[in-house]
Amino acid sequence: MKYNFNEIEAKWQKYWAENQTFKAVNNSEKPKYYVLDMFPYPSGAGLHVGHPLGYIASDIYARYKRHKGFNVLHPQGYDSFGLPAEQYAIQTGQHPAITTAENIKTYRRQLDQIGFSFDWSREVRTSDSSYYKWTQWIFIQLFESWYNNTTNKAEDISNLIAIFETEGNTNVNAVCDDDVETFSADEWHGFSSKEQQKILLQYRLTYLAETEVNWCPALGTVLANDEIVNGVSERGGHPVIRKKMTQWSMRISAYAERLLQGLDTIDWTDSLKESQRNWIGKSVGASVSFPILSFPIGEEKAGTKTPGYMTGGNNSHLLIERAKDMRANPTQAEAALWEQLRNKNLDAKFRQQHLIGDYIVDFVCLDKKLIIEVDGKIHESQIEEDAKRTEVLENDYFKVIRFTNEEVLSNLESVLKTIREELSQRESIKSEQVPPSGSREIEVFTTRPDTIFGVSFMTLAPEHELVSQITTPEQKETVDAYILATAKRSERDRMADVKTISGAFTGAYAEHPFTKEPIPIWIGDYVLAGYGTGAVMSVPCGDQRDYDFAKHFNIPIPNIFEGADISEEAFADKEKTIIANSDFINGMNYKKATKRVIFELEQLGQGQGKTNYRLRDAVFSRQRYWGEPFPVYYVNGMPQMIAKEHLPIKLPEVEKYLPTETGEPPLGNAKKWYWLQYGDKADIVSKEEFENSSPSGRLGGALELNTMPGWAGSSFYFNRYMDPTNDSEMASKEALDYWQDVDLYIGGSEHATGHLLYSRFWQKFLFDKGVVPVDEYAKKLINQGMILGTSAFVYEVSAYYTIENEKFHVKLKNPIFVSENIYLKSTESRKKDVFTPEAFKFSEVDYKILELIIKYGGNKFKEEPEFHLNPIHSDVSFVNASNELDINAFRNWREEYKDAIFIGEIGKVIPFGEDLGGDNVYKVGREVEKMSKSKYNVVNPDNICEQYGADSLRLYEMFLGPLEQYKPWNTAGITGVHSFLKKLWKLYHQGENGTFYVTSSPPSEGLGEDKELGEALKTLHKTIKKVEEDIENFSFNTSVSTFMIAVNELTSQKCTSREVLEPLLVLISPYAPHIAEELWSKLGHNESISTACFPKFDGSHLVESSKNYPISFNGKMRFTLELPLDMSKDDIEKTVLEHEKTKEQLQGRQPKKVIVVPGKIVNIVG
RNA sequence: GCUGAAGUGGUGGAAUUGGUAGACACGUUGGACUUAAAAUCCAAUGGACAUUAGUCCGUGCGGGUUCAAGUCCCGCCUUCAGUACCA
């Protein structure tokens, strides 16, 4: 009987579906086991052979666990919100829900035909409103929570309000915005509702904040970093600008430490944990403030709470003396005016000869930002400079009014009147600071506070906000040029180019907290604005980048390490550090010195110990249509949550999926998108309806126009699978308590820092809120590798003329393609040294090509053109296993190739209609690349299933190599596993004419058969042992080999015994379930094989009496010798030495030493 | 630059604690069956010399440890992936 895989597979797939064979129950006597795949995004292209790799592995494991007696949960669903469907909708007008449903149908069909044991009754789709109801619910929970650092968990926002009401926020230790102002309970009660809501937003775990984004006005959307190439959008090449936008953010930073610590408790791959650790980016050290020195004497140590009147720039220390001088010697006019302005005579505080930036102005009222200049004769020649000065000052929002000496002296009353008028018109800025008197210190974060005495300069990121304020006029040009140059370099450029050292001196100095020495302040692009404070204290002796920078700019490199040689490079080792030349920390090691320095900094009020995380809060708003709507409406600009009972807030219909004309997200196109609620009754209505409704008892307002990002729905789906149809809870407590967590999670490593970090964050949050019972949701995680495509290349002849260094391509009448061999020969000939005479001639092959160009290229070649060979992708389906191209298929592929000429391997034109014959075939070149539509190297599993069956596909994908490894797909190899299945089938059909034949052999039936059965049992148990070990180690490729060996052995043993063949089927069934089910039922079983017990390994069948010892000489194996296993060491040595082959090897030499490892090896030295 | 993974026949890959390198497949070659093809079966297949025996070389490169190294140690090279020049 033939192995009719198509029929068998269809039969059992139907059986499984009808009998719900793989339905998991939420309570069972059996232990639970949860196997999860990262659910797919259903793209329009359907599955290619790379997709099922992880699913097959997890399916094998799930089926194995069922055999082992577990209640297995193995669900599948779809991450069905996302950009591609939206793009398609924009292009075609087709609703994304429709395309998504179609794509899912294709996926489901493809998944079904591979025979996965998914429990489809638990399917979820993130775009279903019954699913995203819970996405919205979790969002509300986050909004209603804050992170209490004291209890180290998320708590209800009502707790926080209670604290505010009783004691204000001074004692609250929460993760919140940086700029939260302190208030008392009384003040809290005094705030308006809006003010209170604003304050609470600074604490909530999801909050509205201004975020800087890459905005593309043309596309009306925000772009990710990798969607921008060279400053323009990847799609369409439109300009991109940095823009501030109010968006929802997730306070994931609150969980930084726990996300880091949690990694130690889960069995994920090291590389994945490492990426997450890097992403979280914890560094422990100190924050240190360095006062900026270049300020007026007496004001330089002013610290952060700088009095508002210090408005001088960096050069104040130079200018202040002159200002004092001018104050002492006023002109007649100045003196007269000052007499009227001083002592708040005009109800405004005026200062005379005051520093504003780098200018000394005659009089200024800082509160009203009004400057009064009295111009003497000397200024007439300087009108231009004055204009510039006025411009600069007015740019800082000062108003400058000018009077001449005469005006002041002759008509003081009118001058004062003008001043009074100006004053009355200008607003008081009292509490605000007057630039540039903002920060007078540079705050840095360092992981090496112990090296603080080695600081010889400071480096700011070119983007640092202080740069413009502290740069001296002399350095301004250099610094500006440098900033401009940096801004032009892309982040990738800056990263790739580590060797170029660049920077500029600002001209300003900072003061060392301990030595009080001035430290030059530089800017350099090796310091990034986004990390820490965007400034570093540079310790060239201890940090290689600082070292290189110092060397390059001739900055001193003081050595503060005992016995360290820093003549060539920095000494970065922490452990061996002994500090020297460092005042009070001399002789200390890294740890002690760090502690002491932090202590001393705290004494000075110039620093403290600090832990820094790189992890930033995650932006949660997307200006898209095809995503979860927020359950949020706005009242007076403040967000309000919609109550749980009104969820889900369904995605509204829109006419078009593009941003509105006013630049609002696509939801702005919805006709009805206002929330209107009276008591329990609520509705989504149009703007007009809302505005015409009665305000009494009304709740509601404009609904949020953004939607949630792709990772929202995927951050908790593993919990939803436990109880997927529950309408009153995300999942019932019973279900969550029963299933707990995922035991095995398989997916691609591309999700390492996106999905896998965010979902851990949500899980921890839900754990804090008591929703889920565990705070890590996946115990073990495996990354499957990618299956790569083997692209095929044809080599097109491309002819051109070169005129004045410009290439002019010639379109050939018949396109010409050369075979791989010709291509290789031609490229080889061109590699030759250009200075040899041969290089000026074409090689033989090239001559031939040239001839053909002239023959087939058209008829008007006045002179010989040049040419090159251009590899282009051919569809892999036109190529057979021997890399031979189906020329006719290729010609029919595209109109322009219809008349193509092909030159075969031996360099002759292949005549039309005659291909794949003889030596002169056309061969393609091969290269391994990612599988992608554009490379025409995609292999579809449908064809494979049709041709070889799902069991063959499953086995072959596993057989290709280790699960985690990247490996190329080569369909040719599938014949190997397919013929294995045929052999397996045959093994059970050894009856006459290939009929099913299995014997139920009773224990003793003559010596001969017993012996044969013994051999078969040995094969079986060897296989059981190996396969069980392999599955447990996720080494699926080796178990496929083991099956092949077993079937080969049993075939040659002609084994027909049920005692062997029945357990063998259970072993194979996780890998090739269809054939296993079929043979199982032929063995007389009425139940599916899926719940059969995994066979038990019995070592007694493997006991051997002898061993074929390898006998080696000096470590090299020369021959083998069969010896009894119970032979003693000495006897073995004796027997081996007496053997004639040994004598032959030694040729009379006396062995120096004989190593005998019983049961393993014999090695003779000599 | 840093971090992680990996370099083994023509190809995918095996070798679990150091103990017979290349299992199992693909491909290739030869043969059987067949009118022929497909399918199936048998044999050979790391390289070189010898074609009987056998000898030498061989797991990215250079050293080392060991009776014995693909496996352990030191140094280097290459490829792939991730990344953030992270103070």
Side-chain angles (χ1 to χ4, degrees):
Chain A
M1 208 188 156
K2 217 184 138 211
Y3 166 44
N4 194 340
F5 50 87
N6 288 329
E7 213 171 88
I8 293 169
E9 288 175 1
K11 170 181 162 188
W12 288 102
Q13 281 161 15
K14 192 165 161 243
Y15 176 92
W16 295 328
E18 281 171 359
N19 291 280
Q20 303 223 29
T21 309
F22 307 113
K23 197 172 157 72
V25 287
N26 276 5
N27 48 57
S28 167
E29 305 259 298
K30 297 176 180 175
K32 71 102 188 180
Y33 202 89
Y34 186 177
V35 182
L36 182 67
D37 294 295
M38 288 184 192
F39 62 170
Y41 175 80
S43 82
L47 289 176
H48 64 63
V49 291
H51 291 119
L53 182 72
Y55 303 156
I56 295 170
S58 65
D59 195 58
I60 289 169
Y61 206 77
R63 286 172 179 272
Y64 166 73
K65 280 287 175 184
R66 286 192 197 99
H67 290 306
K68 279 285 189 181
F70 286 83
N71 178 29
V72 174
L73 174 57
H74 187 38
Q76 186 61 287
Y78 304 96
D79 187 13
S80 48
F81 269 136
L83 214 50
E86 180 159 336
Q87 281 310 335
Y88 192 74
I90 291 169
Q91 284 161 21
T92 64
Q94 176 105 254
H95 197 290
I98 295 169
T99 45
T100 301
E102 277 169 12
N103 293 347
I104 286 176
K105 223 170 144 191
T106 309
Y107 264 62
R108 179 63 192 273
R109 181 184 59 73
Q110 291 187 302
L111 290 170
D112 280 346
Q113 80 184 355
I114 302 174
F116 292 120
S117 65
F118 292 128
D119 175 358
W120 282 110
S121 72
R122 293 175 186 254
E123 180 196 301
V124 300
R125 299 178 187 190
T126 56
S127 59
D128 272 0
S129 62
S130 64
Y131 180 89
Y132 67 66
K133 173 177 178 176
W134 300 105
T135 319
Q136 293 173 338
W137 178 78
I138 293 170
F139 176 81
I140 296 170
Q141 302 310 302
L142 283 155
F143 184 80
E144 299 293 354
S145 303
W146 63 293
Y147 199 88
N148 188 343
N149 272 331
T150 310
T151 56
N152 201 22
K153 59 183 242 184
E155 291 182 9
D156 207 277
I157 201 84
S158 58
N159 295 352
L160 186 66
I161 297 172
I163 298 170
F164 287 171
E165 282 171 349
T166 52
E167 53 181 75
N169 72 345
T170 41
N171 293 324
V172 171
N173 183 10
V175 179
C176 56
D177 289 1
D178 294 333
D179 51 352
V180 173
E181 285 181 26
T182 56
F183 53 83
S184 65
D186 283 347
E187 282 171 307
W188 172 258
H189 289 294
F191 291 144
S192 69
S193 160
K194 187 172 174 175
E195 279 168 324
Q196 289 183 345
Q197 289 183 50
K198 261 191 177 166
I199 289 164
L200 288 172
L201 267 179
Q202 297 182 307
Y203 289 86
R204 296 181 191 274
L205 286 181
T206 184
Y207 58 98
L208 278 172
E210 287 240 303
T211 322
E212 223 177 64
V213 295
N214 302 311
W215 176 254
C216 180
L219 296 172
T221 188
V222 175
L223 299 176
N225 277 330
D226 59 338
E227 289 177 298
I228 304 165
V229 180
N230 300 325
V232 296
S233 67
E234 192 183 22
R235 247 177 333 113
H238 306 292
V240 177
I241 54 167
R242 297 290 286 173
K243 182 183 165 185
K244 283 210 165 173
M245 264 177 89
T246 301
Q247 305 201 81
W248 286 102
S249 275
M250 289 275 162
R251 220 179 283 281
I252 188 174
S253 55
Y255 285 87
E257 185 63 32
R258 281 170 64 191
L259 287 168
L260 191 65
Q261 297 303 326
L263 290 173
D264 295 334
T265 68
I266 47 182
D267 181 12
W268 292 16
T269 58
D270 286 337
S271 67
L272 203 148
K273 287 189 189 182
E274 195 59 31
S275 334
Q276 293 215 346
R277 283 195 192 102
N278 286 340
W279 201 258
I280 295 165
K282 179 182 184 175
S283 38
V284 181
S287 103
V288 186
S289 17
F290 287 75
I292 297 168
L293 246 193
S294 306
F295 285 108
I297 290 163
E299 295 181 10
E300 69 272 56
K301 284 180 203 163
T304 41
K305 288 189 180 134
T306 314
Y309 64 84
M310 288 191 288
T311 49
N314 318 312
N315 305 301
S316 309
H317 60 300
L318 304 171
L319 295 172
I320 195 79
E321 292 304 316
R322 213 174 126 219
K324 279 184 187 163
D325 198 42
M326 286 160 75
R327 262 175 236 160
N329 304 295
T331 62
Q332 200 187 347
E334 284 166 358
L337 188 53
W338 180 237
E339 209 46 48
Q340 298 301 316
L341 295 178
R342 61 188 297 189
N343 294 333
K344 295 194 180 172
N345 280 351
L346 301 184
D347 289 329
K349 168 87 175 167
F350 272 91
R351 297 165 186 281
Q352 65 163 334
Q353 305 300 345
H354 193 80
L355 293 180
I356 304 283
D358 288 326
Y359 298 108
I360 303 169
V361 300
D362 292 338
F363 304 99
V364 63
C365 172
L366 290 173
D367 182 40
K368 297 273 170 99
K369 286 203 143 187
L370 183 67
I371 290 167
I372 298 159
E373 299 265 52
V374 180
D375 300 337
K377 280 241 157 55
I378 193 164
H379 285 284
E380 279 165 19
S381 58
Q382 296 189 352
I383 286 169
E384 214 171 286
E385 227 163 88
D386 280 346
K388 196 175 147 203
R389 171 185 168 118
T390 305
E391 194 193 314
V392 170
L393 290 168
E394 294 202 335
N395 266 345
D396 278 335
Y397 307 106
F398 282 89
K399 164 103 193 207
V400 181
I401 46 180
R402 292 184 177 276
F403 303 102
T404 60
N405 277 344
E406 290 89 59
E407 279 178 288
V408 174
L409 292 173
S410 62
N411 202 348
L412 192 56
E413 271 315 306
S414 137
V415 167
L416 288 173
K417 194 178 163 223
T418 314
I419 294 172
R420 267 198 204 95
E421 269 166 26
E422 281 295 341
L423 281 173
S424 69
Q425 276 169 27
R426 292 186 65 80
E427 226 175 280
S428 166
I429 52 143
K430 217 173 259 169
S431 58
E432 286 173 47
Q433 282 192 319
V434 187
S437 68
S439 180
R440 297 226 168 196
E441 54 178 17
I442 297 175
E443 202 189 324
V444 301
F445 174 77
T446 177
T447 52
R448 295 291 303 273
D450 59 313
T451 62
I452 195 160
F453 286 93
V455 174
S456 62
F457 60 104
M458 312 210 39
T459 316
L460 306 187
E463 301 92 338
H464 197 288
E465 55 169 16
L466 272 179
V467 172
S468 61
Q469 298 177 28
I470 63 171
T471 302
T472 59
E474 300 85 71
Q475 292 299 111
K476 196 172 183 317
E477 210 173 308
T478 321
V479 167
D480 285 351
Y482 183 68
I483 292 171
L484 202 70
T486 312
K488 273 187 191 158
R489 296 178 75 191
S490 75
E491 197 131 299
R492 288 270 163 214
D493 274 354
R494 272 168 80 168
M495 229 150 65
D497 183 14
V498 274
K499 278 172 192 127
T500 317
I501 295 153
S502 67
F505 179 46
T506 62
Y509 290 85
E511 183 193 79
H512 193 283
F514 298 119
T515 66
K516 310 294 178 198
E517 292 288 322
I519 305 166
I521 303 171
W522 288 69
I523 60 174
D525 66 3
Y526 77 98
V527 179
L528 301 181
Y531 183 76
T533 58
V536 298
M537 57 173 229
S538 302
V539 184
C541 65
D543 181 287
Q544 194 56 42
R545 280 162 302 140
D546 294 344
Y547 185 92
D548 296 339
F549 195 89
K551 269 264 154 99
H552 190 260
F553 290 108
N554 277 321
I555 303 168
I557 304 177
N559 191 352
I560 50 142
F561 301 114
E562 208 172 283
D565 174 22
I566 56 156
S567 59
E568 292 298 322
E569 56 178 11
F571 177 80
D573 194 301
K574 273 188 203 173
E575 301 311 314
K576 291 183 224 148
T577 298
I578 294 173
I579 304 289
N581 303 325
S582 297
D583 199 354
F584 55 86
I585 52 169
N586 279 337
M588 293 185 187
N589 63 19
Y590 155 73
K591 263 194 176 151
K592 246 179 136 179
T594 299
K595 246 180 154 175
R596 179 70 191 275
V597 166
I598 291 174
F599 174 80
E600 293 293 337
L601 283 169
E602 281 171 355
Q603 296 300 302
L604 288 174
Q606 280 186 257
Q608 65 272 315
K610 194 180 172 187
T611 303
N612 215 33
Y613 297 94
R614 189 191 84 104
L615 188 67
R616 303 284 137 199
D617 285 346
V619 177
F620 199 67
S621 298
R622 297 290 184 271
Q623 294 69 47
R624 308 279 185 201
Y625 174 72
W626 193 232
E628 298 87 347
F630 284 84
V632 173
Y633 62 89
Y634 288 88
V635 177
N636 295 328
M638 298 312 292
Q640 312 296 324
M641 295 296 128
I642 289 167
K644 180 188 167 187
E645 50 272 25
H646 299 299
L647 299 182
I649 303 301
K650 290 190 183 168
L651 192 60
E653 296 302 319
V654 292
E655 261 167 36
K656 53 186 189 122
Y657 307 101
L658 288 167
T660 65
E661 272 145 32
T662 49
E664 282 174 332
L667 291 195
N669 291 319
K671 291 214 173 74
K672 293 186 170 186
W673 201 233
Y674 269 71
W675 186 248
L676 179 62
Q677 183 179 352
Y678 295 99
D680 293 343
K681 281 191 71 182
D683 203 1
I684 292 171
V685 299
S686 68
K687 189 177 179 193
E688 294 71 38
E689 269 179 88
F690 179 80
E691 279 166 356
N692 294 331
S693 64
S694 155
S696 117
R698 179 180 71 183
L699 287 175
L703 283 157
E704 169 77 52
L705 298 179
N706 288 296
T707 53
M708 297 187 196
W711 55 269
S714 59
S715 292
F716 70 101
Y717 75 114
F718 36 86
N719 288 319
R720 184 68 180 164
Y721 277 137
M722 297 174 187
D723 191 9
T725 53
N726 195 327
D727 196 41
S728 56
E729 286 169 292
M730 179 188 81
S732 72
K733 197 170 171 338
E734 295 73 40
L736 286 160
D737 282 342
Y738 177 73
W739 292 110
Q740 296 266 323
D741 52 7
V742 175
D743 294 281
L744 175 66
Y745 194 18
I746 294 187
S749 56
E750 65 271 25
H751 301 292
T753 46
H755 161 60
L756 290 175
L757 197 63
Y758 295 133
S759 54
R760 289 182 61 222
F761 156 47
W762 277 30
Q763 181 75 5
K764 286 185 187 300
F765 166 71
L766 292 174
F767 174 76
D768 284 355
K769 301 288 278 187
V771 178
V772 296
V774 287
D775 81 332
E776 290 289 349
Y777 70 87
K779 279 200 200 101
K780 180 168 178 71
L781 186 143
I782 295 181
N783 287 130
Q784 94 262 13
M786 204 184 285
I787 291 190
L788 305 168
T790 319
S791 303
F793 290 94
V794 292
Y795 303 97
E796 186 173 23
V797 177
S798 165
Y800 59 91
Y801 290 102
T802 309
I803 304 166
E804 288 169 6
N805 285 330
E806 234 184 291
K807 282 184 180 180
F808 291 92
H809 283 266
V810 185
K811 190 170 169 5
L812 302 176
K813 196 172 136 244
N814 297 55
I816 303 171
F817 294 95
V818 301
S819 192
E820 191 198 17
N821 181 35
I822 308 299
Y823 170 75
L824 293 175
K825 276 190 180 157
S826 173
T827 26
E828 188 58 36
S829 75
R830 287 166 194 227
K831 269 189 207 150
K832 281 184 191 148
D833 195 335
V834 268
F835 298 108
T836 60
E838 293 84 36
F840 294 100
K841 294 191 284 180
F842 283 121
S843 70
E844 205 182 319
V845 166
D846 287 337
Y847 263 126
K848 214 167 243 168
I849 294 172
L850 201 57
E851 252 171 53
L852 291 163
I853 291 174
I854 292 165
K855 187 169 170 194
Y856 292 104
N859 42 17
K860 32 182 191 260
F861 287 103
K862 279 179 203 139
E863 49 186 302
E864 285 182 355
E866 296 173 77
F867 71 91
H868 64 253
L869 299 174
N870 201 12
I872 56 174
H873 282 99
S874 156
D875 196 309
V876 287
S877 65
F878 306 153
V879 181
N880 71 9
S882 311
N883 294 343
E884 293 161 4
L885 182 73
D886 179 344
I887 292 174
N888 283 334
F890 187 83
R891 281 191 181 123
N892 291 331
W893 189 28
R894 297 225 178 105
E895 184 59 28
E896 67 255 44
Y897 299 147
K898 206 178 67 191
D899 303 317
I901 303 293
F902 289 87
I903 296 155
E905 283 288 276
I906 58 166
K908 285 186 183 159
V909 172
I910 301 170
F912 271 81
E914 265 182 58
D915 56 338
L916 295 185
D919 296 335
N920 200 28
V921 291
Y922 188 95
K923 286 202 175 187
V924 296
R926 291 288 203 171
E927 212 170 288
V928 171
E929 294 177 298
K930 242 186 185 172
M931 258 192 206
S932 110
K933 235 177 165 177
S934 63
K935 293 180 177 126
Y936 305 103
N937 60 359
V938 174
V939 182
N940 189 302
D942 296 7
N943 303 334
I944 307 243
C945 284
E946 202 184 309
Q947 237 184 307
Y948 301 98
D951 284 339
S952 291
L953 176 73
R954 292 170 63 105
L955 280 174
Y956 186 55
E957 295 228 354
M958 292 299 102
F959 185 67
L960 273 179
L963 181 62
E964 314 80 36
Q965 222 166 77
Y966 280 58
K967 55 231 156 190
W969 177 268
N970 181 2
T971 306
I974 201 168
T975 54
V977 292
H978 187 64
S979 58
F980 156 74
L981 287 174
K982 285 197 272 194
K983 276 186 218 166
L984 177 74
W985 183 261
K986 254 186 171 166
L987 185 60
Y988 291 77
H989 292 80
Q990 296 183 67
E992 257 176 86
N993 300 323
T995 51
F996 184 79
Y997 181 73
V998 171
T999 51
S1000 307
S1001 64
S1004 59
E1005 240 189 57
L1007 198 74
E1009 280 188 26
D1010 253 7
K1011 202 184 162 199
E1012 273 163 26
L1013 183 60
E1015 282 299 303
L1017 282 171
K1018 194 172 141 191
T1019 299
L1020 174 69
H1021 284 272
K1022 201 172 70 183
T1023 308
I1024 295 173
K1025 183 164 187 273
K1026 174 89 174 122
V1027 168
E1028 191 164 354
E1029 278 169 10
D1030 283 348
I1031 296 187
E1032 299 279 357
N1033 292 320
F1034 306 99
S1035 173
F1036 302 109
N1037 56 326
T1038 50
S1039 38
V1040 178
S1041 305
T1042 308
F1043 292 137
M1044 291 175 171
I1045 294 167
V1047 169
N1048 287 346
E1049 284 182 11
L1050 293 173
T1051 303
S1052 65
Q1053 289 161 16
K1054 297 201 164 45
C1055 174
T1056 54
S1057 162
R1058 173 182 285 267
E1059 201 181 336
V1060 174
L1061 296 184
E1062 198 167 87
L1064 181 70
L1065 277 186
V1066 183
L1067 292 183
I1068 290 178
S1069 111
Y1071 292 80
H1074 307 88
I1075 193 173
E1077 287 276 24
E1078 180 68 16
L1079 292 172
W1080 186 252
S1081 80
K1082 284 189 162 201
L1083 280 168
H1085 296 279
N1086 295 322
E1087 290 280 305
S1088 160
I1089 194 173
S1090 63
T1091 48
C1093 262
F1094 201 79
K1096 225 174 146 18
F1097 170 66
D1098 180 357
S1100 67
H1101 294 289
L1102 302 188
V1103 176
E1104 299 268 2
S1105 58
S1106 67
K1107 155 95 188 164
N1108 197 19
Y1109 277 92
I1111 313 299
S1112 48
F1113 293 82
N1114 298 320
K1116 281 175 188 141
M1117 208 279 289
R1118 288 301 173 219
F1119 61 93
T1120 57
L1121 193 58
E1122 183 95 12
L1123 293 169
L1125 264 173
D1126 52 8
M1127 202 182 220
S1128 75
K1129 233 175 150 175
D1130 291 342
D1131 287 345
I1132 294 174
E1133 185 173 336
K1134 216 174 122 207
T1135 319
V1136 170
L1137 285 177
E1138 277 169 3
H1139 199 273
E1140 69 182 84
K1141 279 195 175 171
T1142 309
K1143 288 177 182 151
E1144 197 180 302
Q1145 282 293 328
L1146 287 169
Q1147 294 187 333
R1149 278 169 290 139
Q1150 196 59 32
K1152 284 190 197 125
K1153 200 173 173 186
V1154 179
I1155 312 276
V1156 176
V1157 184
K1160 279 242 162 103
I1161 200 170
V1162 177
N1163 189 19
I1164 297 162
V1165 188

